[in-house]
Amino acid sequence: MTFSELGICPEILEAIDVLGFESPSPIQEQAIPPALAGRDVVGLSHTGSGKTLAFSIPALEGIDPGLASVQVLCLVPTRELAVQICREVEKLALFLDGVSAVAIYGGASFGPQLAALHRGVQFVIGTPGRVIDLMEQGELRTEQVNTLILDEADEMLDMGFQEDIERVVAQLPASRRTLFFSATMSAPIHALIEELATEPQTIEIERPVMTVPTCEQVVYDVIFSSRIEVLSRLIEMGRMRRGLVFANTKRVVDDVVDGMLARGYAVDRLHGDMPQTLRERVMDSFRRGNLHVLVATDIAARGLDIDDVDTVVNFELPRDPEDYVHRIGRTARAGRKGRAVTFIGRRDFSLLARIERFVGTRLTREKVMTAEQVETARREALVDEILDKAAAAHELPEELRDLEVEPDKLLCAMFHLLVDKGHRELQPIPEDRPARVAAAPKSTDSPREQAPRLQESVRLFLNGGKLLHIRPKDIAGLLYNEGGAPKGSVGDIRIFAKHSLIEVSPEVAPMLCERLATCRICGYEVNLREDRGYVESPELPGEHRRRGYRENESTDYRPRRPREKRSGYREERYAGRREREEHPFSRFERRRRYR
Ligand code: AMP
C-alpha cells in the first residue's frame, strides 16, 4: 500500500515524500481512511508505531487555511511529547500554505504561546493544565475546533488528568471528530472512550516483541563519577564474566577503558575510529574469552556478533530508545539467560520513562551494591571455591607436613592470605552511604485518591498551599508534566494553608528539586525543595511556638513590603526570627557553644 492510496491530499503527500517515508505503517493504513471520512477513531498502538502521522494527517486535512482560529486541539501528557508532535505537524504542513501549529505547555512563559494564538494558529498541541489556563483566560478559543486528538490517553489518566480532559472537552463543539490514541486499554480508558467518541472505528496494533523474556533488565541510580567503581563491583561480585559496556561517545569509552585497566581488569575498547584490523583483533580477543569487558559505542558494536555475553551495561543511557533495544539484544541470545544493567543519573528520568514506554516494561530498580555487600559476597565465593577444591582428594603437600601449628590457625591464615591477594581494594563511593529517607506519613489531611503507595519516600516542600487554591492534582500535574517524574513516583500530597508536602520516590527527588526549584503553579511562582522539617524553637513568639514553625516555610509568592518601610520594632522582630530559623538554638546558647 502507498500513501497516495489512502486518499491523502497532494500537498501532504509531497511533505511525506520530503520526510522520506515510503509506505504507511499499519496504524496509518488503518486509521487514516476512516478519519479522513470524518469518523471517530480509537487507536490502540504504542510509541514508534507511527501514530503521530496517523492522527496528524487527517487533522491537517480538516483545517481551513483561510480561517485563522484553532481547529485542531491535541491533548498530550507531557511537554516533550507536545513539542515532538508539533515538530512533526510542522513538517507535514510544509506545503499547506497558511497552516501553522503551536505546542503549549506549562513551565514555559506565556508570551510565545499567546503570540501564536493571537496570530491565528490552527493546530494546538498542549498539556491539559496549560490548555485550561489559556481557555479560562479567553486566549484559547475553541468554537471552531473540528478535531480533538488525545494522544497517550493512558498516560494522561495515570497522571490524574481525567478531570482536566473532561473540562476541556466540555468546551468543544459537539460536532467535532475525536481521534483517541492509547498504548493500553483499561476500564477507565474504555469509559473515557465511551464518553468522548461516537461509534469509533477501533484499530489495535500489536506491539512487536522488543526484548526477550530471558533478559533481566535492571537500573542503578548512580552518579557518573561512581560508575567505573560500580562496573568493577559487578565483576567482583561475579555478576559479569563477559560483559559488553556501552557508552555514548568515544571519549567516555576511553575513560571507562582507562579506569578499568588501572584497576587491573582485562578490558578493551571498540570505537568507530579504529582501523578494521585492530577492531577484528579486539573482537577476536573478546570472542575467545580473553577480555572481561569490552567497551563500545553503538556504531562500533554493529558488526559484533557474539552469542555468550552474560551482561550488557549501559554506562550511559542511550538517547534513542531503539538503541537501548539494540544494545540489550546482545545478551540473552539463543535461549541463554542475560542481564542488562543500566546506569542512570538525575537527568535521565524522563528518557528512562520514554525507553520503558518503548519496550513496554518497567525496568527493575536495584540499589547499587555497597562495598560491604561486595566484600561479603567475595568472601562467600572464596569459601565456596575452597570447599569445591576440598571435595577433590588432595595429598597434603610435603611442606605442610609436621608443622607445629594448629590446623584452625593455619586455615585462618590461608584464608586471609587469599582474601588479601585475590581481592581488589574497593573504592568508597557516595552510593555506599545510606540514603536519607523520610518515613511515609501515617495519615493525611487531604489524601489524593489513588496516590501510589511508595515503599520509600522523600518528602518535598512546596511553598504554596490552600491560600493559593492549590489542589493535589495541580501538584501531581506539575511534578509529572513539568518535572518529568516517572509514572508512580509521586505518592501522598498534603496541602496546608501556606505550604504543601509531597512524598516522592527517593530516586526522583533530586531531579524534581532541580527542575522545579522555581516554577509556576495556579499562576503563582513557587519553590520546590527537599523538606527540612520542623525547627524546635521554644523562643518563638506564641503563635509560632504553639503550632511549631517550619524552618523552610516562607511565603515568597507574596510581595514583601520594602524593608525601610517596616517599623523599627517589626524590623527587629523579623531579623530575630530569621536568625532563629537558621539556628535552632538561641543566640546566647550559640555563643556559649562556639566559644
Ligand atoms: P510515532 O509512533 O508517531 O512516535 O513515530 C515513530 C517514528 O516513526 C517517528 O520517528 C516517525 O518519523 C517514524 N515514522 C512514522 N511513520 C513512518 C512511516 N510510514 N515510515 C517510516 N517511518 C515512519
Side-chain angles (χ1 to χ4, degrees):
M1 162 111 22
T2 61
F3 278 107
S4 55
E5 286 173 73
L6 298 178
I8 300 169
C9 69
E11 290 83 358
I12 296 182
L13 284 177
E14 206 176 337
I16 293 173
D17 198 39
V18 172
L19 285 169
F21 301 148
E22 285 168 358
S23 54
S25 67
I27 185 79
Q28 292 160 4
E29 216 177 285
Q30 295 176 55
I32 291 174
L36 280 178
R39 279 194 70 177
D40 284 357
V41 170
V42 169
L44 299 173
S45 70
H46 52 92
T47 307
S49 59
K51 62 189 166 62
T52 313
L53 253 68
F55 60 71
S56 302
I57 292 174
L60 277 169
E61 293 227 357
I63 289 177
D64 174 359
L67 198 58
S69 54
V70 180
Q71 295 167 56
V72 178
L73 180 59
C74 174
L75 294 179
V76 295
T78 63
R79 71 164 146 190
E80 286 80 10
L81 190 58
V83 171
Q84 191 187 315
I85 294 176
C86 186
R87 282 203 197 116
E88 208 134 340
V89 170
E90 278 168 348
K91 286 182 202 157
L92 285 172
L94 199 63
F95 302 105
L96 292 172
D97 282 344
V99 176
S100 59
V102 67
I104 62 173
Y105 45 83
S109 69
F110 280 88
Q113 300 177 7
L114 282 177
L117 291 172
H118 294 163
R119 266 199 319 272
V121 70
Q122 295 103 340
F123 201 133
V124 170
I125 307 107
T127 51
R130 181 57 66 100
V131 166
I132 289 181
D133 277 354
L134 289 169
M135 273 169 60
E136 285 177 355
Q137 288 169 23
E139 301 287 1
L140 173 54
R141 306 192 62 89
T142 51
E143 301 87 10
Q144 303 290 342
V145 170
N146 58 37
T147 306
L148 166 70
I149 302 165
L150 277 98
D151 192 20
E152 301 202 354
D154 47 353
E155 285 290 317
M156 286 199 275
L157 292 198
D158 284 346
M159 288 169 144
F161 284 138
Q162 168 138 15
E163 216 181 284
D164 287 347
I165 294 172
E166 284 163 354
R167 262 172 80 187
V168 172
V169 173
Q171 303 298 316
L172 303 182
S175 59
R176 59 152 212 281
R177 158 182 60 172
T178 302
L179 308 177
F180 189 106
F181 285 78
S182 169
T184 52
M185 180 50 107
S186 61
I189 287 286
H190 188 74
L192 194 62
I193 293 171
E194 292 273 290
E195 205 178 318
L196 303 185
T198 320
E199 294 175 12
Q201 167 93 28
T202 303
I203 298 145
E204 194 168 350
I205 302 296
E206 256 189 41
R207 176 188 293 277
V209 178
M210 288 287 180
T211 51
V212 284
T214 50
C215 178
E216 183 195 1
Q217 300 175 63
V218 300
V219 174
Y220 288 144
D221 183 1
V222 51
I223 59 170
F224 204 83
S225 57
S226 300
R227 292 183 184 181
I228 292 182
E229 174 63 21
V230 177
L231 207 53
S232 315
R233 290 184 185 183
L234 284 172
I235 298 177
E236 293 295 324
M237 297 271 282
R239 291 195 185 167
M240 182 159 65
R241 292 178 206 285
R242 187 181 297 188
L244 188 54
V245 177
F246 282 98
N248 294 345
T249 63
K250 244 168 35 188
R251 195 180 55 79
V252 177
V253 167
D254 287 340
D255 289 349
V256 177
V257 172
D258 295 346
M260 296 298 282
L261 285 174
R263 285 166 151 83
Y265 297 109
V267 296
D268 214 332
R269 76 202 78 202
L270 209 57
H271 55 61
D273 288 357
M274 287 162 57
Q276 190 56 27
T277 45
L278 187 55
R279 287 161 52 100
E280 300 266 320
R281 211 179 309 149
V282 172
M283 286 198 251
D284 202 42
S285 183
F286 188 55
R287 232 175 252 126
R288 280 189 281 117
N290 297 341
L291 297 175
H292 250 131
V293 171
L294 181 62
V295 191
T297 55
D298 293 285
I299 297 170
R302 257 179 212 160
L304 192 67
D305 191 20
I306 295 168
D307 269 350
D308 52 355
V309 169
D310 57 56
T311 309
V312 165
V313 178
N314 292 306
F315 197 84
E316 298 174 282
L317 208 53
R319 290 179 202 109
D320 185 344
E322 273 184 42
D323 282 339
Y324 175 83
V325 176
H326 287 152
R327 284 180 181 187
I328 73 163
R330 310 289 173 151
T331 184
R333 283 183 163 192
R336 289 191 185 86
K337 280 194 173 177
R339 229 165 102 89
V341 178
T342 300
F343 294 162
I344 58 160
R346 287 177 177 195
R347 294 176 180 278
D348 293 332
F349 289 94
S350 55
L351 184 51
L352 179 68
R354 202 143 67 81
I355 290 174
E356 286 181 326
R357 271 207 297 280
F358 187 72
V359 296
T361 0
R362 184 175 150 78
L363 314 189
T364 314
R365 270 65 173 168
E366 267 187 20
K367 282 217 174 332
V368 167
M369 45 282 172
T370 61
E372 214 180 311
Q373 287 168 329
V374 178
E375 199 47 57
T376 311
R378 289 199 300 200
R379 290 165 78 98
E380 283 170 5
L382 184 58
V383 173
D384 286 346
E385 244 179 283
I386 293 173
L387 289 176
D388 279 353
K389 272 260 184 267
H394 291 289
E395 260 191 41
L396 193 67
E398 183 79 42
E399 296 82 350
L400 294 183
R401 285 183 199 156
D402 309 324
L403 288 181
E404 288 180 6
V405 193
E406 288 166 36
D408 272 2
K409 276 194 176 168
L410 195 64
L411 207 56
C412 219
M414 286 170 145
F415 180 77
H416 287 298
L417 256 177
L418 283 172
V419 168
D420 292 346
K421 279 200 167 172
H423 288 179
R424 183 188 68 84
E425 201 178 319
L426 299 174
Q427 320 246 312
I429 50 173
E431 285 78 6
D432 288 334
R433 289 196 292 268
R436 219 173 73 78
V437 165
K442 286 199 186 85
S443 66
T444 60
D445 290 359
S446 54
R448 191 163 60 97
E449 268 178 43
Q450 294 164 349
R453 280 195 179 281
L454 304 176
Q455 294 212 314
E456 282 183 337
S457 65
V458 167
R459 188 176 299 157
L460 303 185
F461 174 93
L462 183 94
N463 64 338
K466 286 181 186 154
L467 289 177
L468 301 186
H469 306 293
I470 294 175
R471 297 155 303 172
K473 65 175 191 163
D474 299 322
I475 296 181
L478 177 80
L479 301 187
Y480 281 125
N481 195 15
E482 269 121 62
K487 200 165 104 185
S489 61
V490 179
D492 204 53
I493 297 175
R494 286 180 296 160
I495 305 203
F496 300 87
K498 292 186 190 166
H499 71 276
S500 306
L501 296 177
I502 309 136
E503 303 291 332
V504 299
S505 303
E507 314 91 84
V508 302
M511 170 192 73
L512 291 173
C513 292
E514 194 181 308
R515 287 193 181 169
L516 304 173
T518 303
C519 52
R520 288 187 80 82
I521 190 165
C522 299
Y524 293 90
E525 189 168 300
V526 289
N527 310 114
L528 183 79
R529 57 199 166 221
E530 200 169 319
D531 181 44
R532 280 180 250 137
Y534 285 90
V535 171
E536 292 292 319
S537 182
E539 292 179 15
L540 288 173
E543 184 208 345
H544 296 311
R545 185 170 58 234
R546 267 201 312 280
R547 70 188 184 92
Y549 196 83
R550 296 193 66 82
E551 183 192 11
N552 47 13
E553 181 166 9
S554 94
T555 51
D556 290 347
Y557 50 85
R558 289 201 171 165
R560 284 223 174 91
R561 277 201 284 162
R563 265 176 182 238
E564 53 278 17
K565 288 204 183 139
R566 291 175 194 275
S567 73
Y569 165 73
R570 285 183 69 115
E571 173 82 70
E572 216 178 285
R573 217 179 97 166
Y574 178 76
R577 199 179 89 185
R578 295 243 29 110
E579 207 161 47
R580 278 193 291 274
E581 281 171 29
E582 276 151 27
H583 302 282
F585 31 84
S586 72
R587 255 179 291 169
F588 168 71
E589 197 184 347
R590 200 160 62 241
R591 227 176 291 135
R592 211 185 49 198
R593 284 192 189 202
Y594 289 158
R595 214 168 2 211

